[in-house]
Amino acid sequence: MALMDFIKKQFIDIIQWTETGDGTLAWRFPMAEMEIQNGASLTVRESQVAVFVNEGKVADVFGPGMYKLTTQTLPVLTYLKNWDKLFESPFKSDVYFFSTRQQVDQKWGTPQPITIRDKDFGAVRLRAFGNYSFRIGDAKLFHTEISGTRDIYSVADLDGQLRGLVLQNISNAIASSGVPFLDLAANQIQFAQALAAQLVPEFEKIGIKLENITVQNVSLPEELQKILDQKIGMGMVGNDMGKFMQYQTAQAIPKFAEGAANGGGIAGDAMGLGAGVALGQVLAQNLAQGLSPNAAAAAAATATAASQPAVAVVSPADVMTTLEKLGELKTKGILTQEEFDAKKADLLKKLV
């Protein structure tokens, strides 16, 4: 019995790995005190790579297939051990299997907003998230740089390292993409391509091949989201300043009504002085101009005739408020200096 136990412990004639679940990247064949029989069978399945390691040095690497282990099929190991070509004795070697299939739907994201440089807005902060997929591209490099002598190395063990590489390269990806910051949300594919270009060489340094990466969402800061909404509003009216002011007037009507009902603000004070009707007519005139040229002319004539005395009471405050809003739009780059000057001159004429 003791002799049989000794024989079972010493010799291995079949070496293979059958994956029992997902998420394993590297697996060490259990050798214990056993030795590999000369002429033993090595089976490497599709999406696997086997690596022989002798005294800490990577020797022979095997792709998918069935192999008979001899000095001919183990040339590097034969050299390292100084074997004779006719060597037929059992030998010891560490054997590692690596899974080369894609590891899909790996998540990445910014746990906290990250600060990036933008040519239009300077330093801005954003949040982004998506997913990516990868596989082991160089098993030898992955063994020496990452997994080492561990019995099992999993996707979860590597997750933190890969997420860190993604976050580290986001700023460079945005800079190299050439996409303006406000357009990132609408150009996620281009952003993802730029991010992949940054990450591929970083992943290759540790033996990983990046197969795909997606950007599923980019969240803009609240203040920049407001600017984006204003740009969208300009685009809806064809970047026409007059029409944009009519659009702004239409948006302001509910706010003026609310202020008047509460008795607060410029609108409330004006209506308290009996000028509410005139203010409503001015707003209606601006809105009508955007809806119908003929109706606009009629509304302008009616409003001028009916409200001339009352407009003089509220016109200075209303003009100043409008100028302040136009100044903010010019500061944010939505209006040009020429557009601002033209509108300013038009408004000042109403004070005369």
Side-chain angles (χ1 to χ4, degrees):
M1 181 66 69
L3 179 59
M4 291 301 297
D5 291 341
F6 174 78
I7 294 175
K8 290 179 180 179
K9 278 187 177 182
Q10 289 296 311
F11 304 114
I12 298 172
D13 56 7
I14 297 178
I15 302 174
Q16 61 180 347
W17 176 37
T18 302
E19 297 181 59
T20 57
D22 295 328
T24 302
L25 294 175
W27 179 77
R28 180 179 182 176
F29 187 85
M31 300 295 295
E33 298 299 324
M34 296 182 289
E35 295 184 349
I36 300 172
Q37 178 71 46
N38 187 278
S41 173
L42 170 67
T43 301
V44 182
R45 292 176 170 81
E46 290 291 341
S47 74
Q48 291 181 357
V49 168
V51 175
F52 280 70
V53 178
N54 176 64
E55 297 179 354
K57 294 183 179 181
V58 175
D60 299 279
V61 179
F62 294 87
M66 293 188 64
Y67 305 89
K68 181 179 180 181
L69 300 179
T70 64
T71 54
Q72 284 73 36
T73 56
L74 295 165
V76 179
L77 192 62
T78 298
Y79 172 78
L80 292 175
K81 289 184 173 291
N82 296 314
W83 286 337
D84 183 88
K85 292 183 179 180
L86 300 178
F87 181 84
E88 294 184 358
S89 297
F91 61 92
K92 290 185 67 68
S93 176
D94 293 322
V95 182
Y96 295 88
F97 284 86
F98 296 86
S99 174
T100 58
R101 60 191 176 95
Q102 280 197 56
Q103 307 298 326
V104 300
D105 197 25
Q106 305 300 307
K107 308 295 185 182
W108 69 268
T110 54
Q112 300 295 331
I114 62 172
T115 302
I116 65 169
R117 300 291 301 177
D118 182 75
K119 62 181 180 180
D120 295 324
F121 300 101
V124 293
R125 306 176 75 199
L126 65 77
R127 288 178 179 270
F129 65 84
N131 61 13
Y132 64 98
S133 61
F134 71 91
R135 71 172 79 235
I136 292 179
D138 187 334
K140 179 178 178 180
L141 184 59
F142 185 80
H143 170 78
T144 56
E145 295 292 331
I146 301 296
S147 61
T149 60
R150 291 178 54 171
D151 291 337
I152 295 178
Y153 198 90
S154 68
V155 172
D157 295 323
L158 190 62
D159 182 67
Q161 173 72 13
L162 297 185
R163 283 177 184 244
L165 287 175
V166 174
L167 297 181
Q168 179 181 324
N169 286 273
I170 285 181
S171 297
N172 292 337
I174 293 176
S176 64
S177 69
V179 178
F181 180 73
L182 286 180
D183 296 331
L184 280 178
N187 293 274
Q188 294 179 2
I189 294 179
Q190 189 173 348
F191 179 22
Q193 291 172 343
L195 185 55
Q198 294 288 325
L199 290 174
V200 166
E202 297 298 324
F203 278 37
E204 288 178 347
K205 291 177 182 179
I206 57 175
I208 296 295
K209 180 181 179 182
L210 178 66
E211 291 291 346
N212 182 51
I213 188 166
T214 66
V215 178
Q216 297 175 344
N217 181 267
V218 176
S219 301
L220 305 178
E222 183 178 355
E223 60 273 15
L224 290 183
Q225 185 63 54
K226 291 180 180 178
I227 297 176
L228 180 61
D229 292 340
Q230 290 175 333
K231 289 191 69 176
I232 292 174
M234 287 287 289
M236 291 172 62
V237 296
N239 292 318
D240 183 280
M241 190 59 211
K243 291 183 179 179
F244 180 68
M245 291 305 298
Q246 294 159 11
Y247 169 80
Q248 291 285 69
T249 300
Q251 296 295 311
I253 289 176
K255 296 181 180 179
F256 273 116
E258 181 181 353
N262 296 332
I266 295 175
D269 295 340
M271 290 185 180
L273 294 172
V277 174
L279 181 59
Q281 289 174 336
V282 172
L283 295 176
Q285 177 186 347
N286 284 338
L287 182 60
Q289 289 175 354
L291 298 176
S292 170
N294 295 331
T302 302
T304 301
S307 61
Q308 188 65 33
V311 170
V313 177
V314 297
S315 181
D318 190 40
V319 168
M320 290 303 297
T321 301
T322 304
L323 284 175
E324 290 176 359
K325 291 183 178 180
L326 291 173
E328 292 177 1
L329 294 175
K330 180 174 73 68
T331 301
K332 294 175 180 178
I334 296 176
L335 295 181
T336 64
Q337 184 66 47
E338 290 76 11
E339 291 172 330
F340 174 79
D341 292 339
K343 193 61 182 178
K344 176 181 175 182
D346 183 53
L347 290 171
L348 292 177
K349 289 179 182 178
K350 297 180 181 179
L351 294 175
V352 179

